Amino acid sequence: VTGKEWRPVTIKRALTNPRIIGKRATEDGLVDTEITPILDEDTYVKLVAIFTDPERNKYWPSKSRDSLLGGGRALCGLCGAAMYVASNSSQGRPRADAYTCPSCRRIWINAELLEADATERMLARLTDPGFRKALGDAMVRLGGVTASRQRLEEYRSRLATLGEEYADGTIDRETLRAGSERAKANIARAEADITRAEVLDDLPSIDDVIGWWEEASKLRRRDVATAMLDHVTVKQATAGPSRGNISGDRLV
């Protein structure tokens, strides 16, 4: 209604607002209103459960999806925690966005400079014939998107089976926990393999990479970063106690 771009947080806010089922929240719970409902109450309850699940929310701070290195690919060089983008201000004046460490709060780095450095590293590899061939060979060994999707479904099925076995009492809580952690790690790897394969299929020839990157959307650039970049470590600068220097990266 304001004419601004839709964002995930906007949709989340709308879908978890009781107005969408014709109700409003009070101290005593939800009460009926004259608002025409859009969703039924059962669907609304399921949506709220999904969006407020702590396991879901802790991995995606509000701005991580807007940043090239969102999802924990920028790491603090002091404590190793994932860094996320935050908007800074000083005496009411806005300052440039920065990747900051929410854990030790001792490292930050200008977001634009960090992303420019990561972009330069990725493009250097994408325009290198040897790297492109090695990347293609690696994806062939993985079997492409179809094989990765099959592995993903198998891992998800195993995770579901673990829950059923625990509910039936055939395994204990510790076995469930250990098995779930391994299954979730396998699922994450399979999802990453799918993303890599899809990105590789979409890559242009070496001569066209730069132009393709400049025209790509933020979402597509993040896909490339997710597929190629394992992490970038930001260490403490020698010139000051808080600003960061990029110390190194690891790409596939």
Side-chain angles (χ1 to χ4, degrees), residues 29-92:
L30 300 180
V31 297
D32 292 329
T33 68
E34 296 181 357
I35 300 171
T36 303
I38 297 174
L39 297 179
D40 62 86
E41 192 162 348
D42 287 343
T43 302
Y44 171 78
V45 170
K46 292 176 182 178
L47 285 171
V48 171
I50 291 172
F51 283 121
T52 58
D53 181 0
E55 289 298 312
R56 171 191 177 96
N57 293 331
K58 72 179 182 179
Y59 295 111
W60 294 104
S62 59
K63 290 204 64 175
S64 64
R65 292 187 182 274
D66 290 338
S67 54
L68 182 67
L69 304 178
R73 281 176 173 76
L75 301 181
C76 174
L78 286 181
C79 69
M83 300 176 67
Y84 298 100
V85 171
S87 296
N88 295 316
S89 61
S90 176
Q91 297 179 348

Side-chain angles (χ1 to χ4, degrees), residues 77-180:
L78 286 181
C79 69
M83 300 176 67
Y84 298 100
V85 171
S87 296
N88 295 316
S89 61
S90 176
Q91 297 179 348
R93 296 191 299 273
R95 300 168 64 183
D97 287 353
Y99 282 86
T100 62
C101 177
S103 180
C104 71
R105 300 184 179 182
R106 295 178 60 190
I107 293 289
W108 67 268
I109 189 169
N110 180 282
E112 184 177 353
L113 295 180
L114 176 59
E115 293 183 359
D117 182 89
T119 297
E120 182 178 352
R121 294 168 188 252
M122 287 189 292
L123 293 180
R125 286 157 175 80
L126 289 176
T127 54
D128 178 77
F131 178 82
R132 288 288 289 269
K133 183 180 184 304
L135 185 60
D137 292 344
M139 295 313 304
V140 170
R141 290 193 298 272
L142 289 172
V145 175
T146 300
S148 296
R149 290 191 186 282
Q150 290 174 345
R151 288 196 297 272
L152 177 60
E153 291 306 314
E154 180 181 352
Y155 295 144
R156 285 175 173 170
S157 176
R158 292 181 181 180
L159 181 60
T161 300
L162 281 171
E164 293 171 359
E165 291 178 346
Y166 176 72
D168 292 339
T170 57
I171 62 174
D172 58 24
R173 184 183 297 273
E174 183 61 27
T175 302
L176 172 66
R177 184 194 63 79
S180 296

Side-chain angles (χ1 to χ4, degrees), residues 106-110 234-245:
R106 295 178 60 190
I107 293 289
W108 67 268
I109 189 169
N110 180 282
V234 183
K235 291 190 175 181
Q236 192 172 29
T238 57
S242 59
R243 290 176 297 174
N245 278 340

Side-chain angles (χ1 to χ4, degrees), residues 69 73 118-128 131-132 135 192 195-197 199-200 203 209 212-213 221-232 249-252:
L69 304 178
R73 281 176 173 76
T119 297
E120 182 178 352
R121 294 168 188 252
M122 287 189 292
L123 293 180
R125 286 157 175 80
L126 289 176
T127 54
D128 178 77
F131 178 82
R132 288 288 289 269
L135 185 60
T195 301
R196 290 189 181 102
V199 169
L200 183 62
L203 287 178
V209 165
W212 171 82
W213 178 269
R221 292 182 181 185
R222 284 198 299 271
D223 287 342
V224 175
T226 299
M228 292 189 60
L229 185 61
D230 181 84
H231 71 273
V232 174
D249 66 355
R250 181 157 60 89
L251 293 94
V252 296

